[in-house]
Amino acid sequence: QVQLVESGGGLVKPGGSLRLSCAASGFILSDYYMGWIRQGPGKGLEWLSYISRGGTTPYYADSVKGRFTISRDNTKNSLFLQMNSLRVEDTAVYYCAREVGAMFVDYWGQGALVTVSS
Amino acid sequence: QLVLTQSPSASASLGASVKLTCSLSSGHSNYAIAWHQQQAEKGPRYLMKLNSDGSHSRGDGIPDRFSGSSSGAERYLTISSLQSEDEADYYCQAWNTGIRVFGGGTKLTVL
């Protein structure tokens, strides 16, 4: 069955960096676009980024453009999110997601908590 | 600009039906959307893709109590025979090249 497992979350100071990983299983990663979505405390879902099957075409929400970088390693069945210049408002649960047809999410990970605080 | 609008809350009784609404912004009335459910303290779960003509396809394991329909720029999620586990937040999602958008979510309370 399809599984997406995030790791790498934790506590980081403002201005710091963190790298999230997502281990994919149960499907061929290179067949799908993948993305990251977050949810701040008590808030709704916020799309952050998605990446094409081969990893050559990433897109970002304005809120993270220039600070976050999405990447993937299809040979290792993994998706990544490098987060730099973190701000208090980046505190959230970060979800890895599989997209079907390069359109919408059809599978979600369980989430990784990132807390940005001094 | 692609924007999705949802009512913040809805409620219905156990065993009844409820219809949730997601409104597409002007100029996007022909867009398909996806519906997702998020139960308390859990990650989201994909429910279905809903096309502008009302046709829809449910995700793996989603019961047929969940159905979708469309009218103009409105997209609907109907849940029939409400169960306690249907109490959750429901989000709609739309997409275009370079962007993905979520609605603000509707919190459904089962009375």
Side-chain angles (χ1 to χ4, degrees):
Chain A
Q1 72 280 22
V2 173
Q3 274 199 308
L4 300 169
V5 180
E6 301 92 340
S7 61
L11 175 64
V12 62
K13 288 182 167 49
S17 297
L18 212 55
R19 189 192 196 210
L20 299 181
S21 299
C22 172
S25 60
F27 65 101
I28 300 172
L29 186 63
S30 58
D31 285 347
Y32 292 87
Y33 279 48
M34 298 292 293
W36 290 96
I37 294 130
R38 72 183 178 187
Q39 186 170 35
K43 296 188 177 180
L45 301 172
E46 179 189 10
W47 169 73
L48 298 179
S49 177
Y50 76 87
I51 189 168
S52 58
R53 296 179 189 89
T56 56
T57 310
Y59 293 95
Y60 301 95
D62 288 343
S63 59
V64 302
K65 199 175 296 182
R67 299 190 299 125
F68 290 11
T69 302
I70 190 172
S71 62
R72 62 193 295 164
D73 186 340
N74 291 334
T75 65
K76 295 183 179 178
N77 294 315
S78 295
L79 177 73
F80 307 101
L81 186 68
Q82 177 66 43
M83 303 184 292
N84 299 331
S85 304
L86 282 162
R87 306 166 180 167
V88 170
E89 55 265 34
D90 294 320
T91 294
V93 175
Y94 285 71
Y95 295 101
C96 167
R98 188 181 88 165
E99 291 195 347
V100 61
M103 296 184 289
F104 57 93
V105 174
D106 71 336
Y107 280 96
W108 298 77
Q110 88 288 350
L113 177 62
V114 172
T115 303
V116 185
S117 174
S118 54
Chain B
Q1 185 182 1
L2 180 57
V3 175
L4 300 174
T5 303
Q6 299 181 252
S7 297
S9 63
S11 62
S13 299
L14 202 63
S17 293
V18 68
K19 191 174 188 179
L20 307 182
T21 304
C22 174
S23 300
L24 286 151
S25 48
S26 177
H28 301 96
S29 61
N30 63 330
Y31 277 46
I33 68 157
W35 282 104
H36 304 275
Q37 176 196 60
Q38 185 177 33
Q39 296 171 324
E41 306 305 318
K42 290 189 175 182
R45 176 177 69 152
Y46 165 65
L47 293 177
M48 69 178 66
K49 180 196 178 192
L50 174 59
N51 296 315
S52 59
D53 63 359
S55 60
H56 55 278
S57 56
R58 282 180 286 271
D60 294 339
I62 304 302
D64 57 9
R65 301 188 298 106
F66 292 83
S67 62
S69 58
S70 297
S71 177
E74 310 295 306
R75 305 287 178 265
Y76 305 104
L77 172 68
T78 298
I79 312 171
S80 58
S81 303
L82 272 168
Q83 301 179 5
S84 57
E85 59 262 35
D86 297 331
E87 185 161 289
D89 294 325
Y90 292 84
Y91 294 92
C92 52
Q93 181 201 356
W95 58 89
N96 205 341
T97 301
I99 190 171
R100 307 291 187 253
V101 176
F102 288 93
T106 296
K107 183 176 186 63
L108 174 64
T109 300
V110 178
L111 304 172

